[in-house]
Amino acid sequence: IASRLKETLRGYREMTQRVRSKLQELGFEISEDSRHCRLLYQGDERYTFTLPKTGSDNRGGLNAGSDMIKSFL
């Protein structure tokens, strides 16, 4: 799961359909707020994460993925 998550979020700049479907395959539920996407892992409220709809940092996706992995794996 960790390697697939990193691969999905590598170079993340926006929530495309490809990224959305891969995250959903990994067990994430995605809801969109005004500027961010809220990710809920396996329906467990303890594991919620936020991603920007449009990121500005090349490493932002990898940093977010690393934080997620540390939280639940």
Side-chain angles (χ1 to χ4, degrees):
I1 292 175
S3 63
R4 288 179 58 199
L5 182 60
K6 283 185 180 181
E7 179 183 320
T8 300
L9 294 176
R10 184 178 315 275
Y12 175 82
R13 291 296 228 163
E14 62 182 310
M15 184 60 71
T16 61
Q17 186 59 39
R18 182 188 72 78
V19 172
R20 178 182 296 278
S21 64
K22 287 191 176 204
L23 288 173
Q24 289 172 336
E25 288 173 11
L26 290 171
F28 288 95
E29 297 173 19
I30 303 168
S31 61
E32 294 188 21
D33 295 334
S34 60
R35 298 166 109 189
H36 295 86
C37 295
R38 181 176 177 255
L39 282 69
L40 180 65
Y41 184 66
Q42 305 261 333
D44 193 337
E45 290 290 331
R46 294 177 297 170
Y47 306 118
T48 58
F49 308 96
T50 305
L51 285 177
K53 282 187 179 177
T54 56
S56 60
D57 183 9
N58 286 337
R59 293 212 27 96
L62 286 176
N63 291 340
S66 178
D67 290 343
M68 290 178 199
I69 290 166
K70 288 176 188 175
S71 295
F72 65 87
L73 294 178

